[in-house]
Each structure stands twice: as C-alpha cells, then as structure tokens.
Amino acid sequence: MPERESAMRRLSNLFAIALLIPLAACQTMSPEERRAADERACAGYGFRPGTDAMAKCLLDLELDRRADMRSWRDRQASTMWGPMYVERRIIIRDDD
C-alpha cells in the first residue's frame, strides 16, 4: 500500500508541475513596455524615430497583434462552445 501512495504522490506532483510550467512561461507586458519593444522592433527594421514610416510600422505591429488576438479568440470560441443543444422536457398529465 505505501508503494501505491508513493506512486500517487509522485503522479500528483508531476501533474502539478506540468500545470505550473506553462504558467511560469506566461509573461505580461505593460503598455509602456510593449510600446518600447515595438519601437525597438521598428528601429531594428531600419525606421527612424519620429517619422511617418515609424508611426506606420508601430500601427502595423499593433494591428497585427489585434488580428492575432481576434483569430485566437475565434478559434477558442469555436472549439470551446461549439453548437449547444438545449433539451426541455414537457410533462403532460391526463387528469381524467
């Protein structure tokens, strides 16, 4: 019996670790950090700060990010919710 409890404990620990690893990889950025990262990316593409081309690059990055988020939400909604069927039973009594 102790062997089985030990195996179950190891399995539950492994499961907990498997759940925590993706959460540790999650990273959120403040709007200021995201803007700075976008500016670095656009500067890396060769755009100069303060130019219309830089502004367009920043806008394109933001629009791409929003399109990716919309696409992700649509995929999640279609797989998570799918078609929903509601059953309502009607009971008919004959009071004769």
Side-chain angles (χ1 to χ4, degrees):
M1 225 27 155
E3 295 168 0
R4 186 175 181 164
E5 289 176 9
S6 176
M8 289 297 288
R9 181 170 290 139
R10 275 188 263 135
L11 184 62
S12 66
N13 287 341
L14 182 62
F15 183 71
I17 290 170
L19 285 177
L20 292 176
I21 287 174
L23 291 176
C26 290
Q27 192 176 45
T28 58
M29 295 175 78
S30 70
E32 294 81 14
E33 292 170 331
R34 179 170 289 131
R35 172 65 184 233
D38 289 349
E39 286 178 353
R40 284 191 303 273
C42 288
Y45 298 146
F47 296 107
R48 292 190 183 140
T51 62
D52 288 344
M54 174 67 112
K56 181 164 180 0
C57 177
L58 292 170
L59 178 62
D60 288 344
L61 288 176
E62 179 62 24
L63 292 175
D64 286 346
R65 192 173 8 262
R66 289 181 186 192
D68 287 343
M69 182 56 76
R70 276 193 311 274
S71 173
W72 180 83
R73 276 194 316 246
D74 290 345
R75 283 192 315 273
Q76 293 301 315
S78 68
T79 58
M80 188 171 187
W81 300 109
M84 183 180 294
Y85 301 99
V86 177
E87 180 180 328
R88 183 174 178 192
R89 296 176 185 230
I90 299 173
I91 300 171
I92 301 173
R93 296 185 184 163
D94 188 16
D95 293 333
D96 287 337

